[in-house]
């Protein structure tokens, strides 16, 4: 008996795989992961992110723009400030899953 065909996990539409790759590439930077973890605690300003992450305002803003472009975070204007928050709480699940996979591979 022939083995069943594997389920397709990636989009078949033109450009679909590139979108998925960009989604995962955004998680490939330690600073962006630290930002995501920080934002899971609630809405934050760029200044709060800078203080927590320890990078320059320009670098933090660039990382936040990358995360927003991939749909991980969303922003809103509040007077002079822009506040960022995680767009989808399932982001926490991604980070937990990655940590559990990493732990299994190290053991």
């Amino acid at each position: 008996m022939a083995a069943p065909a594997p389920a397709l996990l990636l989009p078949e539409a033109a450009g679909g795989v590139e979108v998925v790759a960009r989604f995962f590439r955004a998680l490939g930077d330690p600073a962006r992961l630290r930002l995501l973890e920080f934002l899971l605690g609630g809405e934050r300003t760029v200044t709060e992110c800078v203080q927590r992450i320890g990078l320059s305002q320009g670098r933090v803003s660039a990382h936040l723009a990358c995360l927003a472009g991939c749909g991980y975070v969303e922003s809103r204007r509040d007077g002079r400030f822009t506040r960022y928050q995680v767009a989808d709480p399932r982001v926490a699940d991604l980070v937990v899953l990655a940590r559990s996979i990493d732990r299994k591979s190290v053991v």
Side-chain angles (χ1 to χ4, degrees):
M1 181 174 193
L8 294 177
L9 300 176
L10 296 172
E12 292 186 39
V17 173
E18 287 78 14
V19 169
V20 173
R22 186 178 70 226
F23 180 84
F24 283 106
R25 223 177 358 258
L27 296 177
D29 185 280
R32 287 194 289 270
L33 287 172
R34 290 195 324 261
L35 279 168
L36 276 175
E37 181 181 50
F38 184 52
L39 293 173
L40 283 168
E43 196 176 60
R44 312 284 188 192
T45 64
V46 173
T47 302
E48 292 170 319
C49 292
V50 166
Q51 291 169 349
R52 177 61 176 251
I53 305 304
L55 298 175
S56 70
Q57 185 272 329
R59 298 278 298 153
V60 168
S61 291
H63 285 308
L64 288 168
C66 174
L67 292 169
C70 290
Y72 286 111
V73 301
E74 56 193 15
S75 64
R76 72 173 181 88
R77 294 291 296 172
D78 183 17
R80 295 182 10 226
F81 301 99
T82 300
R83 298 189 179 277
Y84 290 86
Q85 66 181 15
V86 171
D88 187 328
R90 293 179 294 176
V91 167
D93 297 335
L94 286 173
V95 175
V96 169
L97 177 62
R99 289 183 68 185
S100 71
I101 290 170
D102 182 53
R103 284 191 188 118
K104 287 179 184 177
S105 67
V106 172
V107 175

